Amino acid sequence: MSDLKQYRQSEKLLVVMPTWVGDCVMAVPTLRAFRQLYPNAHIAALIKEGALPIIEDCPYINRIIPIRKRPASSDEPRGGGPMKVARYLAKENFDTAILLPNSFRTALMARMALIPRRVGYDRDGRGFLLTDRLMVRRENGKFIPVSTLDYYLGIARYLGAQQPSHQMELFTNEQNDAKALDMLKQGGWTPDCGKPLVMLNPGARYGEAKMWYPDRFAQVARMCVDKLDATIAITGAPRERNILDEVIASTDVPMIDLPKMGMDLGTLKSVVKHATLMVSNDTGPRHIAAAFGVPVVTVFGPTDPRWTEIDFEHERIVRVDVFCGPCQKRTCPLDHRCMTQVTPEMVFEQVQELLSSESKQETSA
């Protein structure tokens, strides 16, 4: 392993960011820890285009290097292939690469870029490409579930961070904030209207087994309107359009259809800041809500909550124990009982409990 003192003297750091939106949100506390460790260093974040808006306006990094299939300017890598990215990075003279993803590809890319120090977990057969190999905990040959948030912070602790905070946070800009308020106003909701804004996030990129049913999201929406006088907004990625349409078609509850109004990931952050509560599957917007302190009810099915634990006191997880789970499968080979047994009433009960506790806290304050 390399001398930690040598790293503390590093002046130009590259942090390779995860691919998934939720993982990027959970990586922000680690970026903050790096900035605290190296207040005078130049820190750049290498990130794929799809997740880039998550770290826009983040004060802990000096620069974002996007990976796009078609570069938007001459100051970007010429394409997303590892050779092209490595060639670009080699010209930047980074002295250290910190690899948050576990992939062999990212370690090879850092090695080909001739970055002298390469820090990451010894996974995916890439240990020989790293100068600092962090070991992963196993039991009986299997990985022990560890929160992704804490997994990333483990690198910061290895490099010298003392009890780094798990607090997630995200940042927005005035332009997206204005666009978000305009969308909500067009949908009939304003911050001073007196109605709670409940956001539904019925999609999930990981696979269909991870998604609770559209008609049940619709039933929760109906309960929120009837019993809480809430305004409902629905969000999702472009590939989830059919899921959003199913939710909307399953009820006569009016919904602010954010994607149809032109929402992107940047404006989603600004919209979420105004939400009273979110109901979500275990996917990226859940983490965005938590990062802004917005209460969230998360439905878990085949995935193990221990992998994505976020230490957020205003989250309520709804799940049922089944003999076959958590299986981590993208498609259920049986009858999807981990999701079919989660009822709208179970979810709405947690919505009420969260909003009630929030109301009591505001009253006592």
Side-chain angles (χ1 to χ4, degrees), residues 33-53:
F34 291 157
R35 175 52 69 201
Q36 291 168 349
L37 275 172
Y38 317 112
N40 299 319
H42 178 95
I43 301 178
L46 181 70
I47 189 168
K48 288 190 174 181
E49 181 178 15
L52 187 153

Side-chain angles (χ1 to χ4, degrees), residues 112-124:
M112 290 192 299
L114 304 178
I115 299 176
R117 192 175 191 200
R118 302 171 299 279
V119 185
Y121 285 101
D122 190 356
R123 296 278 300 270
D124 201 26

Side-chain angles (χ1 to χ4, degrees), residues 27 125 186 265 281:
Q186 289 181 47
L265 192 53
N281 292 315

Side-chain angles (χ1 to χ4, degrees), residues 309-352:
E309 174 59 47
I310 53 177
D311 296 332
F312 182 46
E313 64 176 325
H314 302 295
E315 179 182 43
R316 298 294 182 269
I317 290 175
V318 182
R319 65 184 295 268
V320 293
D321 289 318
V322 293
F323 83 93
C324 50
C327 68
Q328 299 291 135
K329 293 185 181 297
R330 293 174 182 264
T331 303
C332 179
L334 300 175
D335 56 9
H336 210 198
R337 63 187 64 192
C338 61
M339 283 299 199
T340 59
Q341 293 182 28
V342 176
T343 67
E345 289 76 17
M346 293 166 62
V347 172
F348 183 68
E349 180 182 358
Q350 296 306 312
V351 170
Q352 285 186 303

Side-chain angles (χ1 to χ4, degrees), residues 144-175:
I144 297 174
V146 176
S147 162
T148 300
L149 194 159
D150 196 56
Y151 187 74
Y152 295 151
L153 282 173
I155 300 178
R157 286 192 292 268
Y158 164 75
L159 295 170
Q162 301 296 315
Q163 298 181 330
S165 170
H166 285 66
Q167 178 66 48
M168 296 192 301
E169 57 181 335
L170 291 175
F171 307 89
T172 61
N173 57 56
E174 292 183 2
Q175 181 180 2

Side-chain angles (χ1 to χ4, degrees), residues 100-155:
L100 299 186
N102 292 320
S103 68
F104 182 92
R105 177 191 179 105
T106 54
L108 179 62
M109 181 177 63
R111 179 65 183 85
M112 290 192 299
L114 304 178
I115 299 176
R117 192 175 191 200
R118 302 171 299 279
V119 185
Y121 285 101
D122 190 356
R123 296 278 300 270
D124 201 26
R126 68 181 189 172
F128 72 98
L129 294 169
L130 304 173
T131 58
D132 295 69
R133 300 181 291 276
L134 280 67
M135 302 308 295
V136 183
R137 287 182 286 175
R138 300 173 186 254
E139 187 175 279
N140 299 323
K142 295 182 178 181
F143 294 117
I144 297 174
V146 176
S147 162
T148 300
L149 194 159
D150 196 56
Y151 187 74
Y152 295 151
L153 282 173
I155 300 178

